[in-house]
Amino acid sequence: MEMYKITSDEIDVNQVITSVIRPEAGAINTFIGTVREFTGNKQTVSLQYEAYPSMAEKQLKRIGIEIREKWPNVQTSIVHRIGKLAISDMAVVIAVASPHRAESYEASRYAIERIKEIVPIWKKEYWTDGEEWIGDQLENTSYKNRVPKEEKE
Amino acid sequence: MITVLFFAKQQEQLGLDKLERAESQLAVAELKQKLIEDYPELSLDHTMTAINEEYADEDQMINDQDIVAFIPPVSGG
């Protein structure tokens, strides 16, 4: 049973993986996003994730639907943690199960990129020398144009 | 009556996470304009809007009882 969840608890990776297991799958790809200490010269002490949880879970589910349209027979689960996280804590876990390995890599990559576009979750970095809400991590187009009703090409 | 939700930086700019407003039957862009006038400290640049948890265009109408959320650039993952 696919999971699309925002949680303030530590993420149970095995539970996310188990949720996509099924007999038709020949591959399960797991992506884990963790809290990085250094971004360039900036040293992160901790960070805070905030979400609009009910809408975020709907958007995670939508990503799962988009993946199913692109790669039929793929099962996806996504769990994102919110609240205060320390260096190396797991912020997001994505598990993708597919009949063959290629789709599981592609779908996993698609999921994390879409999370950074359409899911209402925000990160506040606490640096050694200040704090800042982070936005527009992709920085390739203006934000306004990045939240299309239909899928990006 | 409509409910307006704020997150992240905008929540800090306003010092609150939620507003109740008497008006309805107005477009998203009109509400944004009114809020910027009422709260000069608030910036809604590069901000998407959701109505009842679905992304909405600038010209979409807001109806009575709707929950409007402003979504500044997201940074999950």
Side-chain angles (χ1 to χ4, degrees), chain A residues 80-104:
Chain A
H80 202 299
R81 188 174 172 191
I82 55 172
K84 189 172 181 180
L85 274 69
I87 305 301
S88 299
D89 277 353
M90 289 183 285
V92 60
V93 176
I94 301 167
V96 177
S98 60
H100 302 282
R101 66 186 180 283
E103 310 94 279
S104 72

PDB file of all heavy atoms in Angstrom, chain A residues 80-104:
ATOM      1  N   HIS A  80       8.000  12.558   4.143  1.00  0.00           N
ATOM      2  CA  HIS A  80       8.851  13.723   4.426  1.00  0.00           C
ATOM      3  C   HIS A  80       8.696  14.104   5.888  1.00  0.00           C
ATOM      4  O   HIS A  80       7.578  14.199   6.394  1.00  0.00           O
ATOM      5  CB  HIS A  80       8.458  14.897   3.529  1.00  0.00           C
ATOM      6  CG  HIS A  80       9.559  15.914   3.366  1.00  0.00           C
ATOM      7  ND1 HIS A  80      10.091  16.607   4.425  1.00  0.00           N
ATOM      8  CD2 HIS A  80      10.232  16.329   2.268  1.00  0.00           C
ATOM      9  CE1 HIS A  80      11.045  17.417   3.975  1.00  0.00           C
ATOM     10  NE2 HIS A  80      11.156  17.270   2.671  1.00  0.00           N
ATOM     11  N   ARG A  81       9.834  14.323   6.536  1.00  0.00           N
ATOM     12  CA  ARG A  81       9.793  14.705   7.947  1.00  0.00           C
ATOM     13  C   ARG A  81       9.772  16.226   8.086  1.00  0.00           C
ATOM     14  O   ARG A  81      10.374  16.937   7.271  1.00  0.00           O
ATOM     15  CB  ARG A  81      11.030  14.143   8.649  1.00  0.00           C
ATOM     16  CG  ARG A  81      11.004  14.306  10.153  1.00  0.00           C
ATOM     17  CD  ARG A  81      12.200  13.600  10.780  1.00  0.00           C
ATOM     18  NE  ARG A  81      12.299  13.912  12.189  1.00  0.00           N
ATOM     19  CZ  ARG A  81      13.349  13.610  12.943  1.00  0.00           C
ATOM     20  NH1 ARG A  81      14.388  12.993  12.403  1.00  0.00           N
ATOM     21  NH2 ARG A  81      13.370  13.918  14.216  1.00  0.00           N
ATOM     22  N   ILE A  82       9.095  16.732   9.111  1.00  0.00           N
ATOM     23  CA  ILE A  82       9.124  18.162   9.418  1.00  0.00           C
ATOM     24  C   ILE A  82       9.543  18.355  10.872  1.00  0.00           C
ATOM     25  O   ILE A  82       9.641  17.402  11.634  1.00  0.00           O
ATOM     26  CB  ILE A  82       7.754  18.843   9.156  1.00  0.00           C
ATOM     27  CG1 ILE A  82       6.634  18.134   9.926  1.00  0.00           C
ATOM     28  CG2 ILE A  82       7.452  18.877   7.656  1.00  0.00           C
ATOM     29  CD1 ILE A  82       5.305  18.858   9.880  1.00  0.00           C
ATOM     30  N   GLY A  83       9.786  19.612  11.238  1.00  0.00           N
ATOM     31  CA  GLY A  83      10.251  19.923  12.581  1.00  0.00           C
ATOM     32  C   GLY A  83      11.740  20.185  12.557  1.00  0.00           C
ATOM     33  O   GLY A  83      12.333  20.397  11.497  1.00  0.00           O
ATOM     34  N   LYS A  84      12.359  20.157  13.721  1.00  0.00           N
ATOM     35  CA  LYS A  84      13.784  20.464  13.814  1.00  0.00           C
ATOM     36  C   LYS A  84      14.621  19.216  13.541  1.00  0.00           C
ATOM     37  O   LYS A  84      14.400  18.174  14.151  1.00  0.00           O
ATOM     38  CB  LYS A  84      14.102  21.029  15.202  1.00  0.00           C
ATOM     39  CG  LYS A  84      15.508  21.575  15.277  1.00  0.00           C
ATOM     40  CD  LYS A  84      15.768  22.306  16.583  1.00  0.00           C
ATOM     41  CE  LYS A  84      17.197  22.840  16.575  1.00  0.00           C
ATOM     42  NZ  LYS A  84      17.529  23.572  17.801  1.00  0.00           N
ATOM     43  N   LEU A  85      15.553  19.327  12.602  1.00  0.00           N
ATOM     44  CA  LEU A  85      16.412  18.190  12.242  1.00  0.00           C
ATOM     45  C   LEU A  85      17.884  18.551  12.445  1.00  0.00           C
ATOM     46  O   LEU A  85      18.275  19.707  12.262  1.00  0.00           O
ATOM     47  CB  LEU A  85      16.198  17.788  10.778  1.00  0.00           C
ATOM     48  CG  LEU A  85      15.040  16.801  10.504  1.00  0.00           C
ATOM     49  CD1 LEU A  85      13.690  17.443  10.736  1.00  0.00           C
ATOM     50  CD2 LEU A  85      15.127  16.275   9.080  1.00  0.00           C
ATOM     51  N   ALA A  86      18.678  17.546  12.789  1.00  0.00           N
ATOM     52  CA  ALA A  86      20.112  17.744  12.996  1.00  0.00           C
ATOM     53  C   ALA A  86      20.878  17.236  11.774  1.00  0.00           C
ATOM     54  O   ALA A  86      20.317  16.561  10.905  1.00  0.00           O
ATOM     55  CB  ALA A  86      20.549  16.996  14.253  1.00  0.00           C
ATOM     56  N   ILE A  87      22.163  17.522  11.708  1.00  0.00           N
ATOM     57  CA  ILE A  87      23.011  17.063  10.613  1.00  0.00           C
ATOM     58  C   ILE A  87      22.874  15.542  10.461  1.00  0.00           C
ATOM     59  O   ILE A  87      22.899  14.811  11.453  1.00  0.00           O
ATOM     60  CB  ILE A  87      24.499  17.412  10.888  1.00  0.00           C
ATOM     61  CG1 ILE A  87      24.678  18.910  11.159  1.00  0.00           C
ATOM     62  CG2 ILE A  87      25.402  16.954   9.735  1.00  0.00           C
ATOM     63  CD1 ILE A  87      24.226  19.817  10.054  1.00  0.00           C
ATOM     64  N   SER A  88      22.714  15.102   9.224  1.00  0.00           N
ATOM     65  CA  SER A  88      22.591  13.687   8.851  1.00  0.00           C
ATOM     66  C   SER A  88      21.241  13.044   9.161  1.00  0.00           C
ATOM     67  O   SER A  88      21.017  11.882   8.820  1.00  0.00           O
ATOM     68  CB  SER A  88      23.718  12.823   9.448  1.00  0.00           C
ATOM     69  OG  SER A  88      24.958  13.266   8.959  1.00  0.00           O
ATOM     70  N   ASP A  89      20.346  13.778   9.777  1.00  0.00           N
ATOM     71  CA  ASP A  89      18.991  13.232   9.960  1.00  0.00           C
ATOM     72  C   ASP A  89      18.336  13.041   8.590  1.00  0.00           C
ATOM     73  O   ASP A  89      18.604  13.781   7.646  1.00  0.00           O
ATOM     74  CB  ASP A  89      18.111  14.202  10.767  1.00  0.00           C
ATOM     75  CG  ASP A  89      18.324  14.056  12.266  1.00  0.00           C
ATOM     76  OD1 ASP A  89      19.030  13.128  12.681  1.00  0.00           O
ATOM     77  OD2 ASP A  89      17.769  14.896  13.009  1.00  0.00           O
ATOM     78  N   MET A  90      17.455  12.077   8.495  1.00  0.00           N
ATOM     79  CA  MET A  90      16.750  11.829   7.247  1.00  0.00           C
ATOM     80  C   MET A  90      15.556  12.781   7.125  1.00  0.00           C
ATOM     81  O   MET A  90      14.683  12.787   7.990  1.00  0.00           O
ATOM     82  CB  MET A  90      16.248  10.392   7.197  1.00  0.00           C
ATOM     83  CG  MET A  90      17.382   9.396   7.031  1.00  0.00           C
ATOM     84  SD  MET A  90      16.751   7.721   6.884  1.00  0.00           S
ATOM     85  CE  MET A  90      16.309   7.379   8.579  1.00  0.00           C
ATOM     86  N   ALA A  91      15.539  13.552   6.051  1.00  0.00           N
ATOM     87  CA  ALA A  91      14.444  14.501   5.838  1.00  0.00           C
ATOM     88  C   ALA A  91      13.363  13.898   4.952  1.00  0.00           C
ATOM     89  O   ALA A  91      12.184  14.161   5.135  1.00  0.00           O
ATOM     90  CB  ALA A  91      14.972  15.784   5.213  1.00  0.00           C
ATOM     91  N   VAL A  92      13.783  13.116   3.967  1.00  0.00           N
ATOM     92  CA  VAL A  92      12.803  12.537   3.041  1.00  0.00           C
ATOM     93  C   VAL A  92      13.251  11.140   2.628  1.00  0.00           C
ATOM     94  O   VAL A  92      14.453  10.885   2.461  1.00  0.00           O
ATOM     95  CB  VAL A  92      12.605  13.445   1.802  1.00  0.00           C
ATOM     96  CG1 VAL A  92      13.887  13.647   1.016  1.00  0.00           C
ATOM     97  CG2 VAL A  92      11.494  12.916   0.885  1.00  0.00           C
ATOM     98  N   VAL A  93      12.292  10.236   2.528  1.00  0.00           N
ATOM     99  CA  VAL A  93      12.560   8.880   2.033  1.00  0.00           C
ATOM    100  C   VAL A  93      11.566   8.577   0.916  1.00  0.00           C
ATOM    101  O   VAL A  93      10.354   8.762   1.084  1.00  0.00           O
ATOM    102  CB  VAL A  93      12.443   7.821   3.155  1.00  0.00           C
ATOM    103  CG1 VAL A  93      12.636   6.412   2.584  1.00  0.00           C
ATOM    104  CG2 VAL A  93      13.468   8.091   4.259  1.00  0.00           C
ATOM    105  N   ILE A  94      12.117   8.159  -0.222  1.00  0.00           N
ATOM    106  CA  ILE A  94      11.295   7.794  -1.383  1.00  0.00           C
ATOM    107  C   ILE A  94      11.608   6.347  -1.724  1.00  0.00           C
ATOM    108  O   ILE A  94      12.779   5.992  -1.870  1.00  0.00           O
ATOM    109  CB  ILE A  94      11.637   8.678  -2.606  1.00  0.00           C
ATOM    110  CG1 ILE A  94      11.412  10.159  -2.291  1.00  0.00           C
ATOM    111  CG2 ILE A  94      10.837   8.244  -3.843  1.00  0.00           C
ATOM    112  CD1 ILE A  94      12.019  11.103  -3.332  1.00  0.00           C
ATOM    113  N   ALA A  95      10.595   5.523  -1.841  1.00  0.00           N
ATOM    114  CA  ALA A  95      10.802   4.145  -2.292  1.00  0.00           C
ATOM    115  C   ALA A  95       9.978   3.930  -3.554  1.00  0.00           C
ATOM    116  O   ALA A  95       8.798   4.301  -3.603  1.00  0.00           O
ATOM    117  CB  ALA A  95      10.385   3.148  -1.215  1.00  0.00           C
ATOM    118  N   VAL A  96      10.626   3.383  -4.581  1.00  0.00           N
ATOM    119  CA  VAL A  96       9.941   3.122  -5.846  1.00  0.00           C
ATOM    120  C   VAL A  96      10.171   1.665  -6.222  1.00  0.00           C
ATOM    121  O   VAL A  96      11.311   1.206  -6.287  1.00  0.00           O
ATOM    122  CB  VAL A  96      10.489   4.027  -6.979  1.00  0.00           C
ATOM    123  CG1 VAL A  96       9.816   3.687  -8.302  1.00  0.00           C
ATOM    124  CG2 VAL A  96      10.293   5.491  -6.645  1.00  0.00           C
ATOM    125  N   ALA A  97       9.091   0.951  -6.451  1.00  0.00           N
ATOM    126  CA  ALA A  97       9.189  -0.445  -6.886  1.00  0.00           C
ATOM    127  C   ALA A  97       8.718  -0.549  -8.326  1.00  0.00           C
ATOM    128  O   ALA A  97       7.703   0.045  -8.696  1.00  0.00           O
ATOM    129  CB  ALA A  97       8.337  -1.340  -5.997  1.00  0.00           C
ATOM    130  N   SER A  98       9.480  -1.280  -9.142  1.00  0.00           N
ATOM    131  CA  SER A  98       9.099  -1.432 -10.552  1.00  0.00           C
ATOM    132  C   SER A  98       9.497  -2.823 -11.035  1.00  0.00           C
ATOM    133  O   SER A  98      10.346  -3.483 -10.433  1.00  0.00           O
ATOM    134  CB  SER A  98       9.789  -0.363 -11.397  1.00  0.00           C
ATOM    135  OG  SER A  98      11.191  -0.486 -11.282  1.00  0.00           O
ATOM    136  N   PRO A  99       8.883  -3.264 -12.132  1.00  0.00           N
ATOM    137  CA  PRO A  99       9.216  -4.590 -12.640  1.00  0.00           C
ATOM    138  C   PRO A  99      10.702  -4.710 -13.017  1.00  0.00           C
ATOM    139  O   PRO A  99      11.326  -5.733 -12.763  1.00  0.00           O
ATOM    140  CB  PRO A  99       8.323  -4.725 -13.877  1.00  0.00           C
ATOM    141  CG  PRO A  99       7.169  -3.809 -13.614  1.00  0.00           C
ATOM    142  CD  PRO A  99       7.757  -2.658 -12.861  1.00  0.00           C
ATOM    143  N   HIS A 100      11.247  -3.642 -13.618  1.00  0.00           N
ATOM    144  CA  HIS A 100      12.667  -3.654 -14.037  1.00  0.00           C
ATOM    145  C   HIS A 100      13.379  -2.425 -13.491  1.00  0.00           C
ATOM    146  O   HIS A 100      12.745  -1.419 -13.202  1.00  0.00           O
ATOM    147  CB  HIS A 100      12.760  -3.702 -15.563  1.00  0.00           C
ATOM    148  CG  HIS A 100      12.063  -4.891 -16.133  1.00  0.00           C
ATOM    149  ND1 HIS A 100      12.613  -6.148 -16.111  1.00  0.00           N
ATOM    150  CD2 HIS A 100      10.818  -5.016 -16.671  1.00  0.00           C
ATOM    151  CE1 HIS A 100      11.745  -6.999 -16.638  1.00  0.00           C
ATOM    152  NE2 HIS A 100      10.646  -6.347 -16.988  1.00  0.00           N
ATOM    153  N   ARG A 101      14.707  -2.499 -13.369  1.00  0.00           N
ATOM    154  CA  ARG A 101      15.422  -1.481 -12.609  1.00  0.00           C
ATOM    155  C   ARG A 101      15.397  -0.078 -13.213  1.00  0.00           C
ATOM    156  O   ARG A 101      15.389   0.911 -12.483  1.00  0.00           O
ATOM    157  CB  ARG A 101      16.874  -1.910 -12.371  1.00  0.00           C
ATOM    158  CG  ARG A 101      17.726  -2.011 -13.628  1.00  0.00           C
ATOM    159  CD  ARG A 101      19.101  -2.573 -13.324  1.00  0.00           C
ATOM    160  NE  ARG A 101      19.946  -2.689 -14.515  1.00  0.00           N
ATOM    161  CZ  ARG A 101      19.845  -3.637 -15.432  1.00  0.00           C
ATOM    162  NH1 ARG A 101      18.920  -4.580 -15.301  1.00  0.00           N
ATOM    163  NH2 ARG A 101      20.654  -3.663 -16.482  1.00  0.00           N
ATOM    164  N   ALA A 102      15.404   0.031 -14.536  1.00  0.00           N
ATOM    165  CA  ALA A 102      15.536   1.360 -15.151  1.00  0.00           C
ATOM    166  C   ALA A 102      14.441   2.325 -14.674  1.00  0.00           C
ATOM    167  O   ALA A 102      14.719   3.467 -14.302  1.00  0.00           O
ATOM    168  CB  ALA A 102      15.511   1.235 -16.674  1.00  0.00           C
ATOM    169  N   GLU A 103      13.201   1.853 -14.678  1.00  0.00           N
ATOM    170  CA  GLU A 103      12.109   2.749 -14.285  1.00  0.00           C
ATOM    171  C   GLU A 103      12.226   3.184 -12.818  1.00  0.00           C
ATOM    172  O   GLU A 103      11.810   4.284 -12.458  1.00  0.00           O
ATOM    173  CB  GLU A 103      10.731   2.085 -14.442  1.00  0.00           C
ATOM    174  CG  GLU A 103      10.438   1.426 -15.751  1.00  0.00           C
ATOM    175  CD  GLU A 103      10.760  -0.056 -15.699  1.00  0.00           C
ATOM    176  OE1 GLU A 103      11.958  -0.378 -15.854  1.00  0.00           O
ATOM    177  OE2 GLU A 103       9.850  -0.867 -15.533  1.00  0.00           O
ATOM    178  N   SER A 104      12.763   2.316 -11.980  1.00  0.00           N
ATOM    179  CA  SER A 104      12.818   2.678 -10.565  1.00  0.00           C
ATOM    180  C   SER A 104      13.788   3.839 -10.334  1.00  0.00           C
ATOM    181  O   SER A 104      13.535   4.720  -9.518  1.00  0.00           O
ATOM    182  CB  SER A 104      13.189   1.478  -9.696  1.00  0.00           C
ATOM    183  OG  SER A 104      14.530   1.119  -9.854  1.00  0.00           O
TER     184      SER A 104
END
